[in-house]
Amino acid sequence: MRKMIAILLSLTVLLGILAGCGEKTPATSGDAQWLNIVMTADPATLDVQKTTFEYDIPLNIYDHLVEAVTVDGEPELIPGLAEKWEISEDGLVYTFHLREGVKFHNGEEFEADDVKFTIERMMNPENECVNTWFFDMIDGATEMWEGQSDEVSGVKVIDKYTVEITLDYAFGGFIANLSACPCAIYNREACEAAGEQFGVDPELTIGTGPFRAKEWTLNDKIVLETNPDYYRGASTLAGIVYKNIPDEETQRMEFEAGNIDIFFASNAISQVQYFLDSETWGDQVHAVREAGSYFYLPNLSMEPYNDINVRKAIASAIDRQMLLDTIYEGFGWVSNGMVVEGILGYNEDLKFLPYDPDAAKEYLAAAGYGPGELTIKCMMDMGTGTEYKMNIAIQAMLAEVGINMELQQVDDATYYQNRLDGTIPMERNCWWVDYNDPDNVLYSYFSRRAQESNSVGLDDEYVFETLEAARRETDPDARIKMYQDIEAHLLENVCFIPIFQPQLTVITQPNISNYVPAWNGWTSTNYYGVEKN
């Protein structure tokens, strides 16, 4: 989720951006070139244990035990920091043999203790991490999160380059799960020395990845430089410069001027059609379906969202096709669920409440509200991008059926604290899968564990128990059926309101080679292997 820092800084930001326009970034040495990318706002943090949104830069500065690469548009799992592994017959014990000689950016050697530290840092409740479900299937992880233990008992350092991870139950998606960005491996010494500045101060934000954080100038740019000691071999690039350019028209102009190398037009949706129609750029366009979607989350534990008729009224008042056509220029597909096409377990037979203002009024009356008597609140960030535009459009749609919608804009710190406290009334949210499994979507929002770090407010034993059972199910077909039943149940009870699944549209400069759109359609991309001629 993209956050703006302060309204009072807006003039300074604009002047800074305009001052930077037209400047080309020089290479540091020899023929090496800088890769120039747009970011639309500063990330909240580069610490992937404490954000569910800001993954672009972290994908380039951290590595994982297992990596997911894109081959012919599909994910393929390959060894990462773990050179190989064995799995016990009962599917509970994973023994990882780690690569020797891998160095963190601070010069520390990667060892098994760093794996144990990473997992326990995530599960330490004092750290208030928001991605704990990626490790909570490990034996002892829940106990540590709940304050019953000071370590995760299921993680054992066998020797310097061997770590054993024992699961609480057999989870077939565990290896794929480890390739997800939130499972990036951290260095104990670097994290403990950095404290709360880890992920904030670039010099203290340490990984093993192909690039290392070098500079962060707020409202201007973030600079990563190539890691010359990367274990797969140094990138041919000098580094990556993420330029803060919120304005969509300015992004296009900078790209056409040659100052941006890979242009994620999906972040500047008003410019997509221009490039599709262009004779100059037509051959440089990459378009793929994103394995994710936008949706609204009402807090099911708060009034009036705890009334299903209120939720049905909100859903029926929203014209999802109009939102897709106006907010996203039609580049996408109206969705009927959260497990959308491209994600394992997608159910094409799912149906959701259609746009029907008259039905919305009837649901309101059933909930005991007359025209203009119901006021709902929607929390959002300080920006004016897609989220803001979508909320403004829905605010108008709801007003037509007699629902007042107040928009509450908050800064980043307030948002995350309210999320942990479970006090967000309703919000527009989005999710692009970290690994190709329905568990990554549904468990992340609707499990019992997830309720401790988000504002969904679900209290449904059927969902909680079935999600846990699906994780333990070893029959692939039966497992998928369980997730599909859960999603259908959530939709029937309007526990979320699906909006649309976007199309990823990317345009590259002719001198860029080896760029491959991520299998899940992320704009967050690992640029290792991309070359600039």
Side-chain angles (χ1 to χ4, degrees):
M1 185 172 292
R2 306 297 192 253
K3 310 288 183 182
M4 294 299 289
I5 301 302
I7 295 176
L8 293 176
L9 291 176
S10 59
L11 180 58
T12 303
V13 174
L14 179 59
L15 292 174
I17 290 170
L18 293 177
C21 291
E23 295 181 3
K24 292 183 181 291
T25 307
T28 54
S29 62
D31 295 326
Q33 298 290 316
W34 290 94
L35 187 70
N36 297 291
I37 307 294
V38 168
M39 63 179 185
T40 56
D42 286 282
T45 178
L46 303 181
D47 182 351
V48 292
Q49 294 190 351
K50 296 190 175 184
T51 177
T52 60
F53 301 102
E54 313 287 0
Y55 291 163
D56 199 322
I57 296 170
L59 280 170
N60 290 281
I61 61 178
Y62 307 121
D63 287 316
H64 313 81
L65 293 176
V66 180
E67 301 291 352
V69 296
T70 302
V71 179
D72 296 329
E74 299 294 330
E76 181 176 305
L77 297 173
I78 64 172
L81 293 176
E83 198 168 38
K84 58 182 179 179
W85 54 86
E86 294 98 39
I87 307 173
S88 63
E89 289 187 7
D90 59 8
L92 293 176
V93 182
Y94 290 71
T95 304
F96 294 93
H97 302 278
L98 309 180
R99 292 185 187 274
E100 299 183 19
V102 176
K103 296 291 184 66
F104 284 95
H105 300 152
N106 61 352
E108 288 290 308
E109 186 177 4
F110 163 62
E111 299 177 2
D113 178 67
D114 294 307
V115 178
K116 182 174 177 64
F117 168 77
T118 296
I119 294 171
E120 292 181 343
R121 181 181 186 269
M122 177 87 87
M123 303 312 299
N124 186 339
E126 294 181 1
N127 294 328
E128 296 186 334
C129 295
V130 297
N131 278 318
T132 58
W133 53 81
F134 284 96
F135 291 141
D136 70 1
M137 73 290 292
I138 299 174
D139 189 33
T142 299
E143 286 78 3
M144 185 173 185
W145 177 252
E146 293 176 348
Q148 300 172 17
S149 174
D150 58 1
E151 70 168 345
V152 177
S153 58
V155 182
K156 294 182 180 180
V157 174
I158 305 303
D159 58 41
K160 190 175 180 179
Y161 300 114
T162 310
V163 63
E164 181 183 274
I165 298 179
T166 301
L167 305 187
D168 185 44
Y169 51 86
F171 176 44
F174 185 60
I175 290 296
N177 174 80
L178 291 178
S179 71
C181 195
C183 297
I185 300 299
Y186 291 168
N187 175 240
R188 179 186 293 273
E189 181 174 311
C191 280
E192 291 181 345
E196 294 183 357
Q197 290 302 301
F198 187 84
V200 178
D201 184 334
E203 295 286 351
L204 301 178
T205 303
I206 302 299
T208 61
F211 303 93
R212 56 193 182 193
K214 181 63 176 177
E215 176 188 347
W216 187 344
T217 304
L218 197 63
N219 301 317
D220 182 16
K221 63 184 176 183
I222 294 177
V223 178
L224 309 184
E225 63 179 5
T226 289
N227 174 10
D229 301 318
Y230 189 51
Y231 77 92
R232 295 185 189 274
S235 168
T236 60
L237 299 169
I240 308 172
V241 181
Y242 294 86
K243 299 182 177 182
N244 192 331
I245 309 176
D247 181 70
E248 296 183 0
E249 182 71 14
T250 304
Q251 292 175 35
R252 180 185 64 79
M253 292 170 61
E254 284 292 275
F255 177 76
E256 291 202 293
N259 300 323
I260 299 299
D261 297 309
I262 300 178
F263 179 38
F264 289 91
S266 298
N267 289 337
I269 199 66
S270 64
Q271 307 302 311
V272 171
Q273 194 62 51
Y274 169 84
F275 285 101
L276 292 177
D277 294 340
S278 171
E279 294 183 3
T280 301
W281 298 106
D283 293 339
Q284 304 300 125
V285 175
H286 309 260
V288 298
R289 186 185 293 265
E290 300 185 22
S293 64
Y294 295 106
F295 46 87
Y296 277 77
L297 291 172
N299 192 323
L300 304 171
S301 66
M302 293 177 63
E303 293 184 353
Y305 316 95
N306 58 353
D307 187 327
I308 190 171
N309 283 309
V310 169
R311 302 197 298 272
K312 286 183 175 181
I314 296 171
S316 299
I318 297 175
D319 187 339
R320 296 178 290 156
Q321 185 65 54
M322 181 179 290
L323 289 175
L324 174 61
D325 293 340
T326 57
I327 304 300
Y328 222 71
E329 305 284 335
F331 294 107
W333 304 264
V334 169
S335 55
N336 288 312
M338 288 173 69
V339 182
V340 293
E341 189 170 352
I343 303 175
L344 182 67
Y346 166 63
N347 184 358
E348 62 181 5
D349 295 326
L350 278 181
K351 302 298 179 186
F352 189 62
L353 293 169
Y355 170 60
D356 189 337
D358 291 334
K361 294 175 184 178
E362 293 176 5
Y363 288 129
L364 274 180
Y369 294 99
E373 294 180 357
L374 175 64
T375 298
I376 64 174
K377 295 182 180 180
C378 185
M379 185 173 288
M380 59 187 296
D381 66 22
M382 298 298 292
T384 56
T386 301
E387 179 182 19
Y388 177 82
K389 294 174 183 176
M390 194 176 296
N391 283 338
I392 290 295
I394 287 180
Q395 185 182 51
M397 292 176 184
L398 295 180
E400 292 181 1
V401 301
I403 300 175
N404 305 309
M405 179 175 169
E406 293 182 3
L407 298 179
Q408 180 183 6
Q409 289 187 288
V410 298
D411 60 35
D412 211 61
T414 302
Y415 168 81
Y416 279 106
Q417 189 58 56
N418 287 350
R419 177 178 168 173
L420 287 168
D421 294 340
T423 56
I424 296 175
M426 186 173 79
E427 65 169 330
R428 193 219 70 173
N429 211 303
C430 55
W431 189 265
W432 279 253
V433 289
D434 301 273
Y435 60 97
N436 195 12
D437 196 284
D439 183 83
N440 183 235
V441 184
L442 300 177
Y443 196 89
S444 299
Y445 282 97
F446 300 109
S447 66
R448 194 189 308 274
R449 167 70 63 222
Q451 305 315 301
E452 299 174 0
S453 58
N454 65 30
S455 281
V456 174
L458 182 68
D459 184 13
D460 189 320
E461 288 301 318
Y462 164 75
V463 173
F464 296 159
E465 292 176 6
T466 309
L467 279 171
E468 295 298 337
R471 281 192 149 195
R472 291 163 169 79
E473 179 57 59
T474 57
D475 181 287
D477 293 335
R479 182 172 175 271
I480 292 301
K481 177 64 164 55
M482 295 170 78
Y483 285 113
Q484 291 181 337
D485 289 346
I486 292 167
E487 187 176 27
H489 173 84
L490 292 167
L491 280 170
E492 182 180 356
N493 288 278
V494 198
C495 297
F496 66 94
I497 300 171
I499 303 296
F500 62 79
Q501 174 183 14
Q503 172 184 293
L504 173 70
T505 307
V506 186
I507 304 96
T508 57
Q509 293 285 357
N511 63 338
I512 297 298
S513 58
N514 297 336
Y515 167 74
V516 178
W519 64 271
N520 50 11
W522 279 12
T523 54
S524 299
T525 299
N526 184 324
Y527 294 106
Y528 181 70
V530 172
E531 296 185 353
K532 183 176 179 180
N533 305 315

